Amino acid sequence: MSLQTSTAFTPTETAISVRVPAGLTLRSEENVRATLEVDLTERLRFSLGYVLITNQRLIARFPDETEWKSWDLRAGLTLGHQDYAGVGTLEFRNEAGQLAIWRYTLGRNPAALRLLAQFEAALAAIAGRGAAEIEDLEEVGEEELAPEAGKPPSTWILFRLWRFAKPYQWQLLAAFLLTLAATAATLVPPYLTMPLMDKVLIPFQNGQEIDTRLVGMLLGGLLGSALVAWVLGWAKTYILSLVSERIGADLRTATYEHLLNLSLEYFGGRRTGDLMARIGSETDRINVFLSLHLLDFATDVLMIVMTAVILFSINPALALVTLVPLPFIGWMIHVVRDRLRTGFEKIDRVWSEVTNVLADTIPGIRVVKAFAQEDREAKRFADANRHNLAVNDRLNKLWSLFSPTVTLLTEIGLLVVWAFGIWLVSQQSITVGVLTAFLAYIGRFYMRLDSMSRIVSVTQKAASGAKRIFEILDHVSSVPEAAQPVDLPAVKGHITLTNTHFRYGNRAVIKDLNLDIQPGQMIGLVGHSGSGKSTLVNLICRFYDITDGSIALDGVDIRQLRLADYRRNIGLVLQEPFLFFGTIAENIAYGKPSATRAEIIAAARAAHAHEFILRLPQGYDSLVGERGQGLSGGERQRISIARALLIDPRILILDEATASVDTETEREIQKALDNLVRGRTTIAIAHRLSTLRKADRLVVMDKGRKVEEGTHEHLIAQRGAYWRLYEAQARQEKAERERMLAIDEPPRDAETVTISAKEERE
């Protein structure tokens, strides 16, 4: 379908160039503000449709339909937005209920958010809440429309750090008192300049002798105040540095611990680089703010307040003149602060793009090199870095104008004080000493005022970082701990699923599943990809919580058990085993760190891993590299089996444990698995159906439902879903064997071929 461009706009609106599907007729003075191409039907099949917002209507053409529908905008209409499991949803409602719903893949989410913003702006304009000026959203980058962005972080969020500062409240109080005393000490020297000028220097200039005793006392006072200020300043800085580092460490620890307790659902929608940036750079930024800039801010406030008191005590009229620049500086800070808040949050999100590239590329460097994509990844990093540079440049442009302007205003204020002070001296209202002291105080006053304006930048950086940290801390796990957990007795391994349902977003994945697994039984899960096998395993491990029904262990609902107690009884062997950077022994003992070397070796022997471990340079103390890259796939799998054996679980989960290895390695792994499953309740998913023949029962799944259940022989005799799967796999394996034989068969000469043909005819 061809597209046309609409650029009509009313005088109160900013012109927006929006691509509009051809064939759509607009009303008079109606202009399109945002367009979204939706690419999914309600059944999540790919098909193209459109949703448009104008200043008068919401217009839509649903996927697989040809006619346009429209609704006039009015109060009471709402457009809800959510994204889940790779699918975005817009729900259009009125007071009576749902009017329409659209779904799309998340690549179109920025356009959906633009549409949502324009919908809210159009409703505001119709409701008469101001002109509802429309931003040029075509120039807004995706980072500004990310769902995570929300409102700009308020500076008040920094007060939430008090929960981490409270354990150190007495140290903080001592630092505050030291700051107060140090600030007072720094205000003594300007005060002593008055008697130095009026009682020493000016009388000497007029012919009087210098009072050496008085000079000695005044100079001693200057030296003493400087030494006291130095000692107090050192003490307060040291205390605050210690406290801020501990607050930062506690913040990192609390965030990481909370992150570990969140469900897998949370990690499914997050990038590793972004989470690393939050826990690392954001907490460092908060540390710097607490240890340096917060101290400077407190000192600046105290200095300004104390200086103002002294100035008014010396000469109220001159003190009032000093405050002339304050309203202008305050107004500028207010205007710039909001823009800085938004800008620094954008910088945080854009910087996470850079760290995401690193987090993707470095662990996957083998794939990058295998496909010769070094140049592509370098370009991707350069693009992210360039984007980061552009966002920083926009913010620096604002800040570079603000800071010198504040300095200019303070310089103008100083000139005004000079002029007014000279006039007061000429009128003999004040002495030269008073003016000198006043100017000394004014210099400090304006210096602190300028410093406070600069702190606006670091404060907004810290507020932005605190918001991103508290977004993690405020997230509630979708797999919560039981409020009153039931103590887990000796586990037998009896698992019961009753009317179990599970929805992932808007999609039902498990439907009305009933399953009873007796202690010590081995159950094989069979079905096409996407039938719900791995999801069922995740539910049994309680990585996700079911949406309806129940899963019970030995008659107790698993949601009533402590997560740690429950999962300690589950051994998990995955298709792609994950090994941590460290030694072989450390990886085997990961689930039981207190295991002795004898226990580790026994587990490795049972997993048929002992022999290849001894062939490594350092044996059990050999480093395996990050993610176990120093080992083959079969070796990594046997290490993971040894890891599961060591904790001696009552329940064993095997998720495609032999799917990605060759036949010979599979035999070795199968021997290890035979040792592992003995006497344990086992749930196994296998790509090769032949590996499940030893299972007590096979459960055949299709589209989230259990369609068949029984032994291998029983299901083959039924000639149902399992039989069709088995026959299809048998034909595939036969064809593969014939292909391999054809490759290995040596070529025959022409004579042999002729004889064979003659024999065939006879």
Side-chain angles (χ1 to χ4, degrees):
M1 178 177 286
S2 61
L3 298 177
Q4 60 189 13
T5 302
S6 169
T7 55
F9 61 95
T10 59
T12 59
E13 296 163 353
T14 304
I16 305 172
S17 178
V18 179
R19 303 180 74 202
V20 181
L24 174 63
T25 304
L26 299 178
R27 297 172 181 171
S28 175
E29 297 185 358
E30 183 179 25
N31 67 292
V32 176
R33 292 176 169 174
T35 303
L36 168 67
E37 292 185 357
V38 291
D39 56 352
L40 294 175
T41 66
E42 284 201 41
R43 294 179 175 272
L44 300 181
R45 298 185 183 278
F46 284 98
S47 183
L48 193 62
Y50 295 93
V51 185
L52 303 94
I53 290 292
T54 76
N55 56 327
Q56 300 176 17
R57 296 181 293 167
L58 185 145
I59 309 172
R61 200 206 73 191
F62 289 85
D64 294 335
E65 294 185 11
T66 57
E67 295 185 1
W68 292 91
K69 296 181 181 179
S70 68
W71 296 265
D72 288 335
L73 296 179
R74 60 172 178 81
L77 295 177
T78 60
L79 189 61
H81 167 265
Q82 65 173 341
D83 55 84
Y84 203 66
V87 176
T89 302
L90 286 177
E91 186 180 16
F92 187 45
R93 302 178 66 89
N94 64 6
E95 299 88 338
Q98 187 186 94
L99 295 173
I101 190 168
W102 299 276
R103 293 191 172 92
Y104 55 88
T105 55
L106 283 185
R108 302 173 188 268
N109 207 43
L113 291 167
R114 291 188 186 95
L115 184 90
L116 192 65
Q118 296 292 357
F119 176 82
E120 297 292 340
L123 283 186
I126 290 171
R129 297 194 296 269
E133 181 179 341
I134 308 302
E135 299 179 38
D136 189 354
L137 293 176
E138 294 302 314
E139 297 180 0
V140 178
E142 287 189 22
E143 80 281 352
E144 300 176 39
L145 293 165
E148 175 195 355
K151 297 190 303 182
S154 170
T155 311
W156 292 101
I157 198 171
L158 292 171
F159 286 97
R160 295 187 63 187
L161 295 171
W162 174 248
R163 64 181 266 201
F164 298 98
K166 191 175 181 180
Y168 311 101
Q169 56 187 335
W170 297 113
Q171 293 94 320
L172 289 171
L173 178 61
F176 175 76
L177 294 176
L178 287 170
T179 301
L180 186 65
T183 304
T186 59
L187 292 174
V188 171
Y191 199 84
L192 295 179
T193 59
M194 285 191 293
L196 273 173
M197 292 292 294
D198 293 337
K199 297 183 179 180
V200 177
L201 295 178
I202 294 176
F204 174 73
Q205 196 174 26
N206 292 330
Q208 296 183 18
E209 291 185 5
I210 292 178
D211 186 347
T212 54
R213 185 170 175 276
L214 178 61
V215 170
M217 290 175 59
L218 293 174
L219 293 179
L222 290 172
L223 177 62
S225 62
L227 291 173
V228 169
W230 175 78
V231 172
L232 295 175
W234 170 81
K236 68 172 183 180
T237 303
Y238 180 71
I239 292 174
L240 273 179
S241 297
L242 292 179
V243 170
S244 66
E245 286 297 332
R246 279 150 183 77
I247 292 173
D250 293 345
L251 185 62
R252 278 191 294 270
T253 301
T255 306
Y256 183 63
E257 288 178 352
H258 185 76
L259 200 62
L260 291 177
N261 290 322
L262 294 177
S263 66
L264 290 183
E265 182 182 1
Y266 177 84
F267 294 94
R270 301 298 188 281
R271 299 287 297 272
T272 302
D274 178 57
L275 295 176
M276 290 170 61
R278 294 193 195 201
I279 296 177
S281 60
E282 303 298 0
T283 51
D284 284 343
R285 183 181 293 174
I286 292 170
N287 263 5
V288 171
F289 171 75
L290 293 176
S291 60
L292 298 177
H293 302 297
L294 183 60
L295 175 63
D296 291 340
F297 180 76
T299 305
D300 292 341
V301 171
L302 290 173
M303 180 70 78
I304 288 172
V305 171
M306 291 181 176
T307 304
V309 171
I310 294 172
L311 291 177
F312 275 95
S313 67
I314 295 174
N315 190 292
L318 198 54
L320 283 173
V321 173
T322 304
L323 303 179
V324 168
L326 273 182
F328 299 100
I329 295 174
W331 175 78
M332 287 189 62
I333 290 174
H334 173 72
V335 171
V336 170
R337 183 184 58 188
D338 292 336
R339 296 185 182 181
L340 287 176
R341 279 206 304 256
T342 307
F344 284 125
E345 192 177 8
K346 289 176 189 174
I347 287 173
D348 290 340
R349 292 199 303 274
V350 173
W351 177 248
S352 71
E353 292 178 12
V354 178
T355 56
N356 282 333
V357 174
L358 295 174
D360 288 343
T361 307
I362 294 174
I365 192 64
R366 181 176 294 182
V367 177
V368 173
K369 290 186 174 296
F371 289 91
Q373 293 299 307
E374 292 91 343
D375 291 342
R376 176 189 173 189
E377 293 301 334
K379 183 180 181 300
R380 194 157 72 100
F381 183 83
D383 290 342
N385 209 16
R386 197 176 302 114
H387 192 189
N388 175 63
L389 186 62
V391 174
N392 275 278
D393 284 347
R394 287 201 296 269
L395 192 64
N396 290 332
K397 183 179 178 181
L398 172 68
W399 183 247
S400 62
L401 178 65
F402 170 74
S403 186
T405 304
V406 172
T407 303
L408 176 64
L409 289 173
T410 57
E411 292 293 337
I412 292 173
L414 190 60
L415 288 175
V416 172
V417 172
W418 263 107
F420 190 62
I422 291 171
W423 182 79
L424 288 177
V425 171
S426 69
Q427 298 295 314
Q428 296 185 346
S429 298
I430 60 173
T431 64
V432 174
V434 170
L435 179 59
T436 304
F438 215 96
L439 290 171
Y441 279 120
I442 288 296
R444 295 178 183 230
F445 182 86
Y446 283 150
M447 183 180 68
R448 293 300 180 176
L449 199 59
D450 186 52
S451 175
M452 278 189 68
S453 68
R454 296 174 190 276
I455 286 175
V456 173
S457 169
V458 294
T459 303
Q460 300 314 315
K461 284 183 182 179
S464 172
K467 182 193 174 188
R468 285 164 58 78
I469 290 291
F470 282 110
E471 278 175 354
I472 296 176
L473 293 173
D474 293 341
H475 193 91
V476 179
S477 175
S478 59
V479 182
E481 285 280 6
Q484 295 180 330
V486 176
D487 290 332
L488 194 63
V491 175
K492 299 176 182 177
H494 183 195
I495 300 173
T496 309
L497 288 84
T498 308
N499 301 326
T500 302
H501 293 259
F502 176 69
R503 297 182 67 84
Y504 196 80
N506 296 315
R507 183 165 59 99
V509 184
I510 301 294
K511 308 167 188 174
D512 195 26
L513 183 63
N514 292 278
L515 189 61
D516 186 74
I517 307 173
Q518 295 295 322
Q521 276 191 339
M522 180 179 179
I523 300 296
L525 296 180
V526 179
H528 293 290
S529 296
S531 59
K533 306 185 298 295
S534 294
T535 301
L536 179 57
V537 164
N538 287 333
L539 293 175
I540 292 174
C541 292
R542 213 188 161 204
F543 294 147
Y544 301 91
D545 265 348
I546 58 176
T547 50
D548 198 10
S550 67
I551 300 177
L553 174 63
D554 296 341
V556 181
D557 193 311
I558 62 174
R559 289 170 292 190
Q560 298 177 359
L561 301 172
R562 290 184 182 86
L563 276 170
D565 291 346
Y566 173 61
R567 288 177 182 158
R568 283 193 190 101
N569 290 278
I570 298 176
L572 190 61
V573 181
L574 302 172
Q575 178 180 350
E576 291 294 334
F578 186 95
L579 300 185
F580 295 92
F581 183 87
T583 66
I584 296 283
E586 289 169 347
N587 272 282
I588 294 176
Y590 185 77
K592 187 180 178 182
S594 60
T596 63
R597 182 55 63 98
E599 290 174 323
I600 293 171
I601 293 174
R605 285 183 182 278
H608 290 257
H610 181 67
E611 290 76 12
F612 85 78
I613 292 174
L614 291 182
R615 290 196 294 269
L616 295 174
Q618 305 297 326
Y620 282 85
D621 295 319
S622 299
L623 290 173
V624 297
E626 189 173 5
R627 303 193 181 197
Q629 290 187 6
L631 302 175
S632 69
E635 290 170 342
R636 289 199 300 270
Q637 192 63 281
R638 278 175 277 175
I639 293 295
S640 72
I641 292 171
R643 183 167 60 193
L645 274 165
L646 187 61
I647 64 173
D648 192 22
R650 301 310 308 150
I651 301 167
L652 183 64
I653 307 289
L654 305 176
D655 191 354
E656 303 277 9
T658 61
S660 56
V661 295
D662 57 76
T663 306
E664 186 176 345
T665 305
E666 182 185 3
R667 289 197 204 100
E668 289 295 318
I669 294 176
Q670 197 60 52
K671 293 176 186 176
L673 290 176
D674 290 342
N675 292 332
L676 185 58
V677 302
R678 194 175 297 125
R680 295 180 172 87
T681 302
T682 305
I683 301 169
I685 301 173
H687 176 68
R688 299 184 182 95
L689 300 180
S690 57
T691 62
L692 294 176
R693 286 189 174 185
K694 295 180 181 179
D696 297 299
R697 276 185 297 151
L698 297 175
V699 176
V700 185
M701 298 187 66
D702 185 40
K703 297 179 180 177
R705 298 183 185 275
K706 181 179 70 175
V707 294
E708 287 182 346
E709 184 176 4
T711 63
H712 170 77
E713 292 77 13
H714 173 70
L715 294 178
I716 290 291
Q718 280 191 336
R719 300 178 71 84
Y722 178 77
W723 176 79
R724 288 191 294 274
L725 283 170
Y726 190 81
E727 286 294 307
Q729 193 170 103
R731 286 193 298 271
Q732 183 181 357
E733 290 177 354
K734 181 181 178 182
E736 182 66 19
R737 284 197 301 272
E738 289 175 351
R739 188 180 69 82
M740 296 304 296
L741 285 172
I743 294 173
D744 294 340
E745 186 177 349
R748 295 178 293 176
D749 56 28
E751 184 181 349
T752 306
V753 172
T754 305
I755 293 170
S756 298
K758 182 179 179 183
E759 289 174 348
E760 221 174 279
R761 285 196 302 272
E762 292 174 350

